[in-house]
Amino acid sequence: MTTRTIRVPASSANLGPGFDTLGLALGLYLDLCFSDSAATTSDLDDTSDEHHLAVRSFRAAGGRGPVEVTANFPGGRGLGFSGAARLAGAVAARLQFGADFATARADALEQVAADEGHGDNVAASALGGYTVWADGLARRIEHRLDAAVVLWIPRDETSTKSSRGRLPEAVPLRAATSNIANAALMVAAIAAGDHDALRVACVDHLHQEGRFDRAPRSHATYRALLETSAWCAWLSGSGPTVAALCAPDDAERIATGLPDEGRSVVTTVDGEGVREL
């Protein structure tokens, strides 16, 4: 009996003003290997960690047999690990029971977004590239950006649930309208490849400052990135990772100048989303 592998990219969500709406897929991956049928025997070693979120998602969707999961990005850092893990398990289980890939991806995206409580990370991991999530709809942004992504990943972890619980229940009208304008400009700038507009657009008035208050090193790194040639920077998801878009030729130089308290990673924008290898 043969095995199959699902690969899901990490993601960075919010993209400044796009709270719970804008995301991008990253060139960092979680792989889930599973049997090609629901039989309990396969070529895989029985190394399933039944506590792993990807395995739990696979089981919840009816998947059977041993599972192997590997990832080259951490959880709890604002890189969409839970969304990627749940998506991998949900897609794999549907494929195991004979669904075609497009149907498995669409159904898994809907389910996992509901499980996560927000779909911005999941949409990016599912579709790849730059994405918009709004009222249950996920769409890719066709773009003209040739960009690298610089990530600064500290050792500290952040609980998304805890972080969201500290956000204000109401914001001033001026802050809300500014974010609406900036999020619209962000989409236009990504689509047009307008680097100058990205810097203006990627300013948030809803969630970043409150989260930065609890992550001063992330805040210092964010400010440091804005003093480089990076086009824009933002707190990735609920943090504590900070992300920036820049020209590929500038990425290594920018990354090497970031604080030593975190790990600097240069990666790409993944253009495929979840796929079978």
Side-chain angles (χ1 to χ4, degrees), residues 67-237:
V67 180
E68 294 176 1
V69 184
T70 58
N72 66 354
F73 64 100
R77 305 296 201 284
L79 296 172
F81 187 91
S82 64
R86 283 189 168 112
L87 188 66
V91 170
R94 286 162 171 78
L95 293 178
Q96 190 183 65
F97 282 90
D100 65 87
F101 188 84
T103 300
R105 181 179 65 178
D107 289 349
L109 170 57
E110 181 179 2
Q111 175 205 319
V112 174
D115 292 343
E116 290 278 288
H118 50 93
D120 48 350
N121 281 113
V122 188
S125 289
L127 303 181
Y130 302 85
T131 57
V132 179
W133 171 265
D135 291 333
L137 292 177
R139 295 292 186 269
R140 280 176 56 114
I141 304 170
E142 298 304 320
H143 66 90
R144 299 179 182 178
L145 284 176
D146 179 18
V149 184
V150 175
L151 302 170
W152 183 80
I153 308 171
R155 289 181 291 273
D156 303 330
E157 294 188 16
T158 295
S159 164
T160 300
K161 182 177 181 180
S162 174
S163 177
R164 293 177 72 87
R166 291 192 294 261
L167 295 177
E169 294 185 2
V171 297
L173 178 61
R174 184 173 181 178
T177 55
S178 292
N179 260 51
I180 292 169
N182 286 355
L185 181 60
M186 192 77 179
V187 173
I190 290 169
D194 188 335
H195 307 158
D196 294 333
L198 282 173
R199 173 62 68 97
V200 176
C202 199
V203 175
D204 170 75
H205 301 281
L206 296 184
H207 73 104
Q208 282 196 167
E209 287 304 315
R211 285 169 162 164
F212 276 141
D213 286 345
R214 298 171 178 84
R217 289 182 296 180
S218 297
H219 198 183
T221 303
Y222 168 77
R223 292 194 300 265
L225 280 166
L226 293 180
E227 294 176 359
T228 71
S229 58
W231 301 332
C232 61
W234 64 93
L235 184 68
S236 185

